[in-house]
């Protein structure tokens, strides 16, 4: 076992991990942050997306030790400490951007990464950016709508489906 | 995954020493291919030697009309930073999805040489040079069949030197489930001739389509390859596409790449 130290949602954390411990396992089992979901464990679905040093990564496809010293942000750090949802989370609720909610942590973290680089994405840019995030419930339409709304854009231009 | 030790050397020579002292040690780039392979227990390295933090393995610079890109540069870094070679930056920006691009690296992609990967087509069509800790390997001498390369055990790709063509374009026909190329064609026009490289199609991996190169060198327009065709016998066939379908796509994508390169 090796010691690992990183910052998660602004708090310094340490733990003991094996070389093979995935970042997703360290977050979920080591730190109890089970908001990061593991859908496929084969790098396909994006349910496990977190930010490492400000960029979106699939935490099931990164070793915990690769995040040594990094700033990690997970879904648990998105709402305010009093539970008030952030703009993206609130937009997902308002626009029914989730059904079972399994993909939602990854969707929200991917959306946050997109809006950081591109504050007013087009519908096509949102769909393209979410290529690595699979949802088996919503049909994506309301997710796209929520992200449009979170970026302060008029969602009435999106065809109702 | 089987257990292994994780090692994070600070220099290229430290990394090479670990890899050469232990034949079961393996380099780790962005892990976007290797970690899934380890999860399936298809490999059992004793040590993973992480190249990501090594000084001098990242960065993009322009040297004598060529772009030199560090072997541990992520696809996202190339998409952002290779503005001096727009066709290459565009290719990098369409590999996989954003999270894959934030981790996966140029060196890892080339060392893996997946028959459907994008970078091998760019390297071969650009006549790039693969720079390792030990030597320089010309693109034409680097790729060696499906998942094969002429890298020695423990040899690390430290950089790739891409000559910048007058015009170039990569057309990727996406296999929507894997987001790799079902077929991809990279066309690069240099002052002394045109090079065409095809990925995703050949049953022996990435290859140059020499008849198309000759025709396009004479006349650089899409119709120059009218009448040329690829022999379907040498194509990959799987549930996503037959040999004949892939052979057909090679022609279509070559024409599209030429049209796009002409702007
Ligand atoms: C969902 C998904 C979609 C993808 N889509 C595409 C796509 O559209 N097009 C595409 O081309 N690829 C695609 N990929 C593959 C991706 O580009 C990988 O990042 C890449 O193939 C491997 O790079 P890596 O840095 O992650 O290497 P790793 O997984 O770390 O390593 C791969 C191999 O290379 C070796 N290696 C790593 N770095 C070096 C080096 N510098 N020198 C020598 N050997 C080294 C390792 O030992 C290992 O054998 C996709 C992957 C995923 C998960
Ligand atoms: S759980 Fe990581 S991509 Fe599906
Ligand atoms: S809401 Fe169920 S998978 Fe997306």
């Amino acid at each position: 076992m090796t010691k690992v130290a990183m910052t998660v949602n602004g708090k310094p954390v340490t733990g003991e991990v094996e070389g093979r411990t995935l970042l997703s396992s360290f977050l979920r089992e080591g730190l109890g942050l089970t908001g990061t979901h593991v859908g496929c464990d084969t790098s396909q679905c994006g349910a496990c997306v977190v930010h490492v040093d400000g960029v979106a990564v699939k935490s099931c496809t990164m070793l915990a030790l690769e995040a040594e010293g990094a700033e990690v942000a997970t879904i648990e750090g998105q709402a305010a400490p009093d539970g008030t949802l952030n703009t993206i989370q609130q937009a997902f609720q308002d626009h029914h951007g989730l059904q079972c909610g399994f993909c939602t942590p990854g969707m929200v973290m991917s959306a946050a990464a997109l809006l950081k680089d591109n504050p007013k994405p087009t519908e096509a840019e949102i769909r393209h950016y979410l290529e690595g995030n699979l949802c088996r419930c919503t049909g994506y339409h309301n997710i796209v709508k929520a992200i449009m709304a979170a970026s302060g854009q008029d969602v009435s231009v999106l065809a109702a489906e | 995954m089987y257990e292994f030790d994780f090692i994070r050397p600070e220099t290229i020579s430290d990394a090479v020493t670990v890899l050469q002292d232990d034949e079961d040690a393996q380099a780790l780039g962005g892990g976007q291919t290797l970690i899934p392979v380890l999860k399936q227990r298809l490999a059992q390295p004793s040590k993973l030697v992480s190249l990501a933090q090594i000084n001098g393995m990242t960065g993009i610079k322009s040297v004598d009309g060529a772009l030199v890109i560090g072997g541990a540069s992520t696809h996202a870094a190339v998409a952002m930073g290779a503005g001096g070679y727009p066709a290459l930056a565009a290719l990098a920006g369409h590999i996989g999805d954003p999270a894959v691009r934030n981790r996966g690296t140029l060196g890892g992609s080339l060392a893996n040489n997946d028959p459907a990967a994008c970078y091998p087509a760019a390297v071969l069509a650009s006549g790039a040079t693969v720079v390792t800790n030990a030597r320089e390997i010309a693109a034409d001498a680097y790729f060696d069949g499906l998942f094969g390369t002429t890298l020695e055990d423990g040899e690390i790709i430290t950089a790739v030197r891409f000559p910048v063509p007058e015009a170039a374009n990569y057309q990727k026909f996406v296999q929507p489930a894997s987001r790799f190329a079902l077929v991809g064609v990279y066309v690069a026009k240099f002052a002394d001739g045109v090079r065409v490289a095809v990925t995703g199609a050949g049953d022996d991996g990435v290859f140059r389509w020499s008849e198309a190169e000759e025709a396009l060198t004479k006349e650089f327009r899409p119709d120059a390859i009218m009448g040329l065709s690829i022999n379907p016998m040498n194509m990959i066939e799987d549930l996503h596409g037959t040999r004949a379908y892939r052979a057909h796509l090679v022609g279509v994508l070559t024409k599209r790449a030429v049209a796009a390169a002409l702007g």
Side-chain angles (χ1 to χ4, degrees), chain A residues 97-104 107 134-138 143:
Chain A
L98 61 151
Q99 288 178 26
C100 80
F102 196 86
C103 69
T104 314
M107 288 289 179
L134 304 184
C135 174
R136 57 184 191 173
C137 303
T138 64
I143 292 174

Side-chain angles (χ1 to χ4, degrees), chain A residues 24 36-49 57-61 102 132 134, chain B residues 39 97 179:
Chain A
S24 53
T36 295
H37 289 170
V38 176
C40 64
D41 213 10
T42 58
S43 327
Q44 304 292 323
C45 76
C48 65
V49 168
V57 307
K58 291 176 176 171
S59 62
C60 78
T61 315
F102 196 86
L134 304 184
Chain B
K39 284 183 182 179
D97 57 58
R179 294 182 290 281

